[in-house]
Amino acid sequence: MPDVFPAVGHKYIVDFSSASGGHFRVQLDFTSETSMTYVGLDANGNPIPDSSETVDITVEPIRDLLFLVTWQERDGTTVVHLEDYRLNTIITNITQPAKDAKARPDFSKFHGTMRQIS
């Protein structure tokens, strides 16, 4: 029997970084197994204006305490998380729409550590 998704009803701070040196911090608020609100945070942990969105998520159990969590944002950005609640880590793959018709979509990959705050 698969695990129940442990994030429901909780908030997490996640610090992401990439091999190329990029980094960002976000708060994830899982209100249900199908809805999550994310908020971008600055270096001091304060919300970044206009960086929040509530999205419909799909959660798929992979193994004990490991879940594939996916969503699409209003602007067409797609996000795929591999969320490990045993190790408190997330790997995210993000594809942002191309800025013009001739360009390719922007793809990035980050690894993060998460900390439950509620």
Side-chain angles (χ1 to χ4, degrees):
M1 181 172 183
D3 285 331
V4 173
F5 186 51
V8 174
H10 299 289
K11 293 180 183 179
Y12 298 84
I13 301 290
V14 187
D15 290 296
F16 285 107
S17 60
S18 70
S20 63
H23 62 277
F24 67 98
R25 177 181 283 175
V26 67
Q27 177 181 295
L28 306 177
D29 180 1
F30 294 91
T31 54
S32 73
E33 198 164 307
T34 60
S35 182
M36 179 202 62
T37 300
Y38 66 83
V39 179
L41 302 174
D42 66 19
N44 295 318
N46 300 311
I48 298 170
D50 301 319
S51 70
S52 176
E53 185 175 344
T54 298
V55 293
D56 294 331
I57 61 173
T58 301
V59 176
E60 186 173 341
I62 303 299
R63 64 142 167 84
D64 293 343
L65 297 174
L66 181 68
F67 297 85
L68 186 68
V69 181
T70 60
W71 68 88
Q72 187 168 42
E73 298 174 1
R74 221 178 357 257
D75 69 358
T77 296
T78 58
V79 181
V80 177
H81 276 189
L82 191 58
E83 300 185 0
D84 190 328
Y85 290 86
R86 182 183 306 158
L87 300 176
N88 293 317
T89 60
I90 297 178
I91 298 171
T92 187
N93 293 280
I94 304 168
T95 304
Q96 296 176 306
K99 299 199 183 350
D100 66 53
K102 295 180 182 178
R104 295 182 55 162
D106 183 34
F107 177 76
S108 53
K109 179 178 178 180
F110 294 84
H111 289 251
T113 56
M114 62 178 161
R115 176 174 50 92
Q116 185 177 330
I117 59 170
S118 75

